[in-house]
């Protein structure tokens, strides 16, 4: 498994699955189900895993539960020799990462909206403290912080930063300006499941896609072969649209439970369970693949 800080050793091509955190009937973390889910998506073509991303509901987990999630996925990734990325956005969080973790995913500071200069200063401090490379997570819909291409290019030049999960929700002139002018050592990963194809066309080399819990092999093929198969792209855009019909990961968990892959569809507050209609819409799209 990749653990070195040297950017040339960080292979971020392909689909990374940001795993849900399954809960058992008593409300605790279903560690065995998590490990089984991780193995299945890797068997089906995922290039690596992300732990404690937004899809994993990390804010609702206790410190002990977060540690249990990371420990379980470290074991899976060690056995498969694939990278494990863990959500960690502060100096303290990255210092606490186990040695086997390949990279940290650091969120652009949310809520405070510190401006580009503040974002850069924060990420420099986190990168300097981190024993592993950073992938910056840029998702302005959640953080409230927009960043122009010049700021993103400055982030790409921070020592120890090797990539970005780019999830602005749109493909516009700023996206094109940034994605078509990436430093050689730096990888852009699509963070919007429905926009993987156009982002690949512009210069992204992979994706962090929650929808790839489902139809994993198809998402892996899309990234591997590019966006040339229009029918495949259309099918996967339909999957993504149905999965995100309600707040993530509520629909995804309902579908995984219906497939028998996790013991319950439970989420924790402030999330509420997905409607049966949303679950059934995803299952109908999957049946048409």
């Amino acid at each position: 498994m990749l653990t070195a800080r040297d950017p040339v050793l960080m292979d971020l091509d392909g689909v990374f699955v940001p795993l849900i955190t399954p809960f058992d009937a008593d409300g605790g973390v279903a560690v065995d189900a998590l490990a089984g889910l991780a193995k299945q998506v890797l068997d089906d073509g995922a290039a690596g895993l992300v732990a404690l991303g937004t899809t994993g509901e990390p804010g609702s987990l206790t410190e002990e539960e977060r540690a249990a999630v990371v420990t379980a996925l470290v074991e899976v990734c060690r056995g498969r020799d694939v990278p494990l990325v863990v959500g960690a956005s502060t100096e303290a969080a990255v210092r606490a990462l186990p040695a086997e973790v390949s990279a940290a995913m650091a969120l652009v500071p949310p809520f405070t909206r510190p401006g580009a200069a503040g974002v850069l200063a924060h990420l420099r401090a986190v990168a300097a403290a981190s024993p592993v490379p950073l992938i910056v997570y840029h998702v302005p819909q959640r953080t409230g912080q927009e960043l122009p291409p010049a700021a993103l290019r400055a982030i790409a030049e921070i020592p120890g930063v090797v990539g970005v999960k780019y999830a602005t929700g749109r493909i516009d002139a700023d996206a094109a300006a940034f994605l078509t002018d990436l430093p050689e050592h730096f990888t852009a990963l699509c963070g919007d499941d429905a926009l993987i194809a156009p982002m690949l066309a512009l210069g992204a080399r992979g994706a962090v896609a929650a929808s790839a819990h489902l139809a994993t092999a198809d998402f892996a093929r899309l990234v591997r072969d590019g966006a040339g198969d229009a029918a495949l792209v259309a099918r996967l855009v339909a999957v993504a649209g149905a999965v995100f019909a309600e707040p993530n990961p509520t629909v995804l968990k309902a579908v995984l439970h219906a497939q028998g892959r996790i013991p319950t569809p439970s989420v924790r507050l402030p999330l509420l369970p997905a409607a049966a209609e949303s679950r059934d819409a995803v299952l109908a799209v999957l049946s048409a693949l």
Side-chain angles (χ1 to χ4, degrees), residues 179-180 195-205 226-227:
L179 293 169
T180 57
L195 298 179
I196 294 174
M199 278 197 61
L200 290 172
L202 286 171
R205 295 216 313 259

Side-chain angles (χ1 to χ4, degrees), residues 212-225:
H213 283 79
L214 313 170
T216 310
D218 288 320
F219 277 100
R221 181 160 67 92
L222 171 63
V223 174
R224 183 183 67 246
D225 297 343

Side-chain angles (χ1 to χ4, degrees), residues 2-87:
L2 306 174
T3 58
R5 187 179 174 85
D6 187 343
V8 301
L9 296 181
M10 284 301 302
D11 182 2
L12 297 177
D13 294 6
V15 173
F16 284 70
V17 177
L19 287 170
I20 63 152
T21 302
F23 300 125
D24 60 28
D26 296 323
V29 174
V31 174
D32 289 345
L34 174 65
L37 193 62
K39 293 173 183 176
Q40 185 173 13
V41 298
L42 292 173
D43 286 344
D44 289 344
L49 305 175
V50 179
L52 305 182
T54 306
T55 305
E57 301 174 76
S60 70
L61 304 180
T62 66
E63 182 177 349
E64 292 76 15
E65 288 173 332
R66 289 193 293 270
V69 165
V70 173
T71 298
L73 296 181
V74 161
E75 290 298 319
V76 171
C77 290
R78 179 191 293 128
R80 304 300 181 94
D81 194 29
V82 297
L84 173 64
V85 180
V86 176

